[in-house]
C-alpha cells in the first residue's frame, strides 16, 4: 500500500516559538532558585510588544524584563528594521499567584504525594523510522529548521532572518518511508533576489540536511513560494504560547491529547506525563516489544495515579499483547515509594525539577545540559539531550517478561 504523509516544523524565530521560548525561560528562571516553583506562564508577542500572563508561585524573584530581552536577543531579533527589537520592545507583566483552589489538589500537604496538576490525556509515541525512533516526516522537518538556525546564527547565510517554516512529505510503501515526495521551506530574508535565495537555500540547507538517498529528480521543492518573505516574526504575525502542539510532538503522526507544554512546571501532567509516555514508548520499541508504540495516560486533577494506561502497538508487537505491555509498564520500579506514572514518579525518575543545564553550586553551567527553554524549539522529542529520550528502561522492561530476553 502506498501513501503520503506530511509534517511541518517552525524555526526558533517563528512568533509562536518566540512565545514558547519566553515562557520556558521564565520557568527556568524560577526553577533555578526554587525547584518547587509552580509556573503557568503564557506569552503573547506582536509588533513591538511582549505580554506575560498566567500564574506563578515561587520563593525566588525573577527579572522578567531581562529574561524576555535575553531570549529575543539570542534568537536574533536585534534590529529595528526587522520590526521587532529585543532592546526597544515593550514588556508587560500581568502574572499573578496560583489559585489556591488548584493548589490544594496538587500540593503534597500531609500526604507527601503530589496530585496531578490537571485532568486530561497525554500520548507518547515511538517507531523505527529513524535512529531516534521518531516518525521520519517530523524528524527531518526539525532537522531543516536546526540547519536554518545554524546557517543564520553562524553568519554563513547572513541574509536569513529568524522566522521560517519547513514541511516534508514522505512517500510510504507498506507503512515504511521510501522517499521524500516534497519539501517546502519558507524563510524570512533580507529584501534580495528570489532566485539567489532559492538556489542558496536548496544547496546549503535542504540538500545538505536531507538524506540524498531519499531525494530524487521527482522530489518537488518549494522555496519561498509566495515570492517574497521580508516582513515576518512578531511584526508580521502575532505569536502565542502553546500554539504549535503538533510541531512540538509527532507532526500529526500520532494522537495528541490537546495540552501544550511550554511555560508549565512538571506538576502539570500535560507536560510531564507526555514526556513520560514518550520515554516509555521509546523504550518499548527499543526493547523489541513492538515496531511502533503509542502510550496513552489519563489523569484527574489532584489525583496522583493515572485513571487509565493504554498501549497500542498497531499490530506490530512481538508476542506480548497490548494489554500485557500496559500491565508491565504499570509495574515499573517505584521511585522513593511513588508508583509508576504518578507525578512524583515521573518528576523523580526524569529529574524534571533540576534540569542539567542549570548552574551548579559553583556557578558552572554545562553547555550540553538540558533546560526547558531548549525544548521550546526544534521539537520536544527525538533529541538525545533530554532525559525522556534515554533508553535506560530496556533492561527493566526485559526483566518483566520472559519474552523480553528473546526479543
Amino acid at each position: 500500500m502506498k501513501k503520503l504523509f506530511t509534517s511541518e516544523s517552525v524555526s526558533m524565530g517563528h512568533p509562536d516559538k518566540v512565545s514558547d521560548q519566553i515562557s520556558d525561560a521564565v520557568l527556568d528562571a524560577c526553577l533555578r532558585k526554587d525547584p518547587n516553583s509552580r509556573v503557568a506562564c503564557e506569552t503573547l508577542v506582536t509588533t513591538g510588544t511582549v505580554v506575560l500572563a498566567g500564574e506563578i508561585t515561587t520563593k525566588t524573584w525573577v527579572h522578567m524584563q531581562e529574561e524576555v530581552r535575553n531570549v529575543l536577543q539570542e534568537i536574533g531579533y536585534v534590529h529595528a528594521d526587522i520590526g521587532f527589537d529585543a532592546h526597544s520592545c515593550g514588556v508587560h507583566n500581568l502574572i499573578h499567584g496560583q489559585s489556591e483552589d488548584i493548589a490544594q489538589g496538587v500540593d503534597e500537604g500531609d500526604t507527601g504525594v503530589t496530585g496531578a496538576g490537571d485532568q486530561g490525556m497525554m500520548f507518547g509515541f515511538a517507531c523505527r523510522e529513524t535512529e531516534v525512533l521518531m516518525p521520519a516526516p517530523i524528524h527531518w522537518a526539525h532537522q531543516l529548521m536546526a540547519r536554518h538556525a545554524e546557517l543564520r546564527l553562524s553568519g554563513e547565510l547572513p541574509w536569513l532572518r529568524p522566522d521560517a517554516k519547513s514541511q516534508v512529505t514522505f512517500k510510504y510503501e507498506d507503512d515504511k518511508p521510501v522517499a521524500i515526495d516534497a519539501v517546502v521551506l519558507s524563510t524570512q530574508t533580507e529584501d534580495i533576489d528570489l532566485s539567489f535565495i532559492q538556489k542558496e537555500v536548496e544547496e546549503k540547507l535542504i540538500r545538505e540536511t536531507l538524506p540524498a538517498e531519499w531525494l530524487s529528480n521527482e522530489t518537488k521543492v518549494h522555496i519561498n513560494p509566495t515570492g517574497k518573505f521580508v516582513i515576518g516574526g512578531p511584526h508580521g504575525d502575532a505569536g502565542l504560547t502553546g500554539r504549535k502542539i503538533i510541531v512540538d510532538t509527532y507532526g500529526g503522526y500520532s494522537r495528541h491529547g490537546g495540552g501544550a507544554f511550554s511555560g508549565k512546571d512538571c506538576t502539570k501532567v500535560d507536560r510531564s506525563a507526555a514526556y513520560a509516555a514518550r520515554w516509555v514508548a521509546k523504550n518499548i520499541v527499543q526493547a523489541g516489544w513492538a515496531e511502533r508504540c503509542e502510550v496513552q495516560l489519563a489523569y484527574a486533577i489532584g489525583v496522583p495515579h493515572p485513571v487509565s494506561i493504554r498501549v497500542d502497538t498497531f499490530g506490530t508487537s512481538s508476542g506480548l499483547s497490548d494489554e500485557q505491555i500496559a500491565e508491565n509498564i504499570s509495574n515499573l520500579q517505584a521511585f522513593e515509594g511513588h508508583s509508576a506514572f504518578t507525578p512524583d514518579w515521573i518528576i523523580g525518575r526524569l529529574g524534571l525539577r533540576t534540569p542539567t543545564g542549570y548552574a551548579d553550586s559553583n556557578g558552572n553551567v554545562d553547555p550540553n545540559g538540558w533546560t526547558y527553554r531548549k525544548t521550546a524549539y526544534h521539537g520536544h522529542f527525538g533529541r538525545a539531550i533530554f532525559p525522556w529520550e534515554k533508553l535506560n528502561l530496556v533492561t527493566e522492561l526485559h526483566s518483566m517478561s520472559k519474552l523480553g530476553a528473546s526479543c
Side-chain angles (χ1 to χ4, degrees):
M1 181 180 68
K2 298 181 180 180
K3 64 180 181 181
L4 300 176
F5 193 89
T6 302
S7 294
E8 73 160 355
S9 181
V10 297
S11 70
M12 62 195 305
H14 184 281
D16 294 331
K17 279 289 136 200
V18 172
S19 295
D20 284 345
Q21 288 171 84
I22 291 172
S23 292
D24 273 338
V26 171
L27 172 61
D28 284 329
C30 292
L31 293 179
R32 282 190 181 98
K33 297 293 180 64
D34 179 9
N36 294 312
S37 296
R38 296 287 171 77
V39 179
C41 178
E42 310 292 344
T43 304
L44 161 70
V45 295
T46 187
T47 302
T49 304
V50 177
V51 179
L52 302 177
E55 304 81 42
I56 294 179
T57 300
T58 184
K59 295 178 181 177
T60 190
W61 181 82
V62 176
H63 194 313
M64 296 295 182
Q65 290 253 353
E66 183 176 287
E67 293 296 331
V68 169
R69 297 188 193 282
N70 284 344
V71 169
L72 297 176
Q73 183 165 337
E74 289 172 16
I75 292 172
Y77 285 114
V78 292
H79 303 292
D81 62 348
I82 295 181
F84 197 76
D85 185 358
H87 308 293
S88 61
C89 68
V91 179
H92 305 278
N93 181 7
L94 306 180
I95 292 171
H96 56 80
Q98 185 185 40
S99 162
E100 293 182 3
D101 292 345
I102 295 175
Q104 69 180 350
V106 180
D107 291 343
E108 295 181 3
D110 296 333
T111 66
V113 176
T114 304
D118 202 351
Q119 73 173 54
M121 63 282 191
M122 304 85 210
F123 291 91
F125 183 78
C127 64
R128 292 194 180 277
E129 292 185 9
T130 59
E131 290 184 358
V132 294
L133 303 185
M134 285 287 286
I138 186 66
H139 172 73
W140 290 109
H142 284 324
Q143 294 305 302
L144 288 173
M145 288 295 87
R147 177 65 174 162
H148 178 274
E150 178 185 345
L151 291 170
R152 178 175 61 86
L153 295 173
S154 69
E156 185 172 348
L157 296 183
W159 40 266
L160 288 177
R161 286 181 170 174
D163 194 2
K165 279 187 173 184
S166 65
Q167 185 171 287
V168 181
T169 300
F170 266 81
K171 184 182 298 181
Y172 284 77
E173 292 183 3
D174 298 326
D175 287 328
K176 294 183 179 180
V178 295
I180 293 176
D181 186 75
V183 181
V184 182
L185 200 143
S186 296
T187 178
Q188 183 186 18
T189 67
E190 293 179 7
D191 193 359
I192 58 177
D193 180 67
L194 176 62
S195 61
F196 173 77
I197 293 170
Q198 291 172 330
K199 177 178 178 295
E200 291 287 284
V201 167
E202 180 165 0
E203 289 181 0
K204 296 181 180 178
L205 202 165
I206 294 174
R207 298 286 176 181
E208 291 190 15
T209 301
L210 300 179
E213 63 270 22
W214 279 348
L215 297 171
S216 70
N217 292 333
E218 296 180 359
T219 303
K220 299 177 284 290
V221 178
H222 302 279
I223 299 169
N224 283 17
T226 62
K228 185 176 183 180
F229 186 3
V230 174
I231 298 173
H235 182 53
D237 188 14
L240 295 169
T241 300
R243 204 160 58 173
K244 285 291 176 283
I245 60 176
I246 300 302
V247 171
D248 284 346
T249 52
Y250 307 101
Y253 201 95
S254 171
R255 298 174 180 91
H256 197 296
F261 298 156
S262 290
K264 298 177 181 179
D265 72 85
C266 51
T267 65
K268 280 72 170 176
V269 286
D270 273 348
R271 183 172 210 164
S272 56
Y275 291 169
R278 160 64 178 173
W279 181 44
V280 173
K282 184 176 182 181
N283 278 267
I284 286 170
V285 171
Q286 183 67 22
W289 287 4
E291 294 294 305
R292 284 189 288 159
C293 181
E294 182 183 79
V295 175
Q296 183 198 39
L297 305 171
Y299 294 84
I301 188 169
V303 178
H305 292 86
V307 299
S308 71
I309 300 174
R310 176 181 179 273
V311 171
D312 189 346
T313 60
F314 309 94
T316 69
S317 62
S318 301
L320 288 174
S321 69
D322 292 351
E323 292 77 13
Q324 287 173 318
I325 296 174
E327 178 67 20
N328 282 345
I329 65 173
S330 68
N331 291 310
L332 286 164
Q333 293 175 10
F335 178 84
E336 296 183 352
H338 301 289
S339 56
F341 300 110
T342 60
D344 290 310
W345 182 88
I346 295 170
I347 292 166
R349 293 208 65 172
L350 293 178
L352 298 183
R353 291 198 194 279
T354 53
T356 58
Y358 293 172
D360 62 19
S361 58
N362 296 318
N364 299 315
V365 177
D366 178 4
N368 297 314
W370 74 279
T371 63
Y372 282 103
R373 188 192 155 195
K374 288 182 179 180
T375 70
Y377 53 89
H378 306 157
H380 290 245
F381 304 122
R383 298 161 63 194
I385 189 175
F386 303 130
W388 48 91
E389 293 298 317
K390 296 185 183 302
L391 296 171
N392 51 1
L393 284 177
V394 172
T395 300
E396 190 174 335
L397 290 173
H398 280 168
S399 71
M400 292 179 168
S401 169
K402 293 180 181 178
L403 174 68
S406 63
C407 286

